[in-house]
Amino acid sequence: MLLELGMTVADPILKAVADLFFSVWQKDRRFKVYPTGWILPCHTAYAANLMCRLGYVGDERIQQTLRYFLNTTWQDGGWRCNKFSFGRGPETEHSNPLPTLNVLDAFRHSNYFNNEPKLDNALNFLLNHWTIKKPIGPCQYGIGSRFMQVEYPLWYYSLFQYVYVLSFYDKARKDGRFIEAFQILQNKLADGMMVIERNSSKLSKLSFARRGIQAN
C-alpha cells in the first residue's frame, strides 16, 4: 500500500521498518516479533507479508522464509500452529485460515505465484472453508455474520480480506466458491464504492477507517 502511494524502499521510514523486522529474523527462517514467548506461524506470516509488500521479496532471508513455509504446510494444505487457546477437538486438526490467507498474500509477490502446487493446496483449503464455514483450526476461525461484514483496514479474517487475497490467484478466480464470495462482496457496493461495516476501534478516529465510510 505504501509503495503504491509513491513511497520507495529507500524512504527513511520504510527502511527503518525493514531494518527493525530484519533484526528479529531468525536463523531458522522465522521472525521473532515478541521478545519472549513462542514464535508462531502467524507472526512470521505477518512479517513476511509486510517485507514482501515493502519490496524485499528478492532478499535471500525472505526467500528462505518463503521456502520455510513451503516445507511446513499442514496435511490439509494450509498452515497452523500448536497453540490451542480454545482447547482441542476435531476442528483444531485443521490449519488456521487467517495465517494461511496471510501466507498466500506474501507469496503473490514471489516467483512461486500461480506456479507452485503447494499454494494450490492452500487455496483449496480456504475454498473448502467457504463451504463448511464452521470454526476450524487451533484459533477456530469461522465464516459467520462477523466474517461477512466489510472490515477495513484489512486485518482480520473477513470477507473483504478473503476475496482480496484470493482474487490474485488464477485457480481461485475460476472456482465457484470464490465467485460466490465475490458476488456477495460486490452486492455490498453503494454507488460503486465499498461501505465499511466494521473497523478497528484503535483506528476509528482516522477518517479513512470510520464505520460507514465509502471507499473505492
Side-chain angles (χ1 to χ4, degrees):
M1 178 69 73
L2 293 174
L3 297 180
E4 293 168 358
L5 293 175
M7 301 178 75
T8 68
V9 174
D11 184 279
I13 295 177
L14 298 188
K15 181 64 166 56
V17 170
D19 289 344
L20 175 62
F21 273 82
F22 274 136
S23 73
V24 298
W25 186 82
Q26 307 294 298
K27 291 183 178 180
D28 64 6
R29 299 172 292 175
R30 299 181 298 167
F31 284 85
K32 187 176 179 61
V33 298
Y34 292 99
T36 60
W38 294 355
I39 305 177
L40 301 177
C42 56
H43 300 164
T44 298
Y46 277 123
N49 195 357
L50 172 66
M51 298 305 289
C52 287
R53 286 174 174 268
L54 289 179
Y56 289 92
V57 67
D59 188 283
E60 178 57 27
R61 289 163 291 186
I62 301 304
Q63 286 294 310
Q64 289 184 40
T65 295
L66 295 180
R67 290 194 291 270
Y68 157 80
F69 278 121
L70 291 178
N71 292 329
T72 56
T73 55
W74 188 240
Q75 57 193 9
D76 57 13
W79 288 272
R80 76 194 290 273
C81 65
N82 290 316
K83 185 174 183 293
F84 298 88
S85 300
F86 304 100
R88 294 174 181 264
E91 72 283 355
T92 62
E93 290 304 309
H94 294 276
S95 295
N96 271 331
L98 179 58
T100 299
L101 198 62
N102 285 328
V103 173
L104 287 176
D105 201 12
F107 268 107
R108 70 180 176 85
H109 300 275
S110 74
N111 290 332
Y112 297 103
F113 177 56
N114 283 328
N115 191 35
E116 170 54 57
K118 288 186 177 180
L119 300 186
D120 290 342
N121 293 337
L123 290 170
N124 283 331
F125 162 70
L126 288 171
L127 291 168
N128 285 335
H129 193 212
W130 180 260
T131 300
I132 65 175
K133 290 185 167 56
K134 67 179 182 180
I136 58 173
C139 292
Q140 300 194 14
Y141 292 99
I143 295 181
S145 58
R146 184 177 175 85
F147 175 95
M148 291 298 178
Q149 294 176 343
V150 173
E151 181 193 46
Y152 189 83
L154 302 180
W155 173 252
Y156 205 66
Y157 189 57
S158 64
L159 179 64
F160 198 179
Q161 175 84 324
Y162 183 90
V163 170
Y164 173 75
V165 174
L166 296 190
S167 69
F168 289 96
Y169 285 86
D170 294 341
K171 184 179 181 65
R173 288 198 304 271
K174 300 173 183 177
D175 193 285
R177 293 162 293 186
F178 169 81
I179 293 172
E180 182 181 354
F182 173 75
Q183 289 174 340
I184 291 175
L185 182 64
Q186 190 175 41
N187 289 337
K188 291 176 175 286
L189 292 175
D191 298 324
M193 294 187 290
M194 196 66 65
V195 179
I196 299 174
E197 298 174 308
R198 180 162 56 91
N199 63 354
S200 169
S201 59
K202 295 181 180 179
L203 299 176
S204 60
K205 293 183 179 180
L206 300 176
S207 60
F208 69 86
R210 291 175 184 167
R211 187 174 180 180
I213 291 293
Q214 293 182 344
N216 54 19

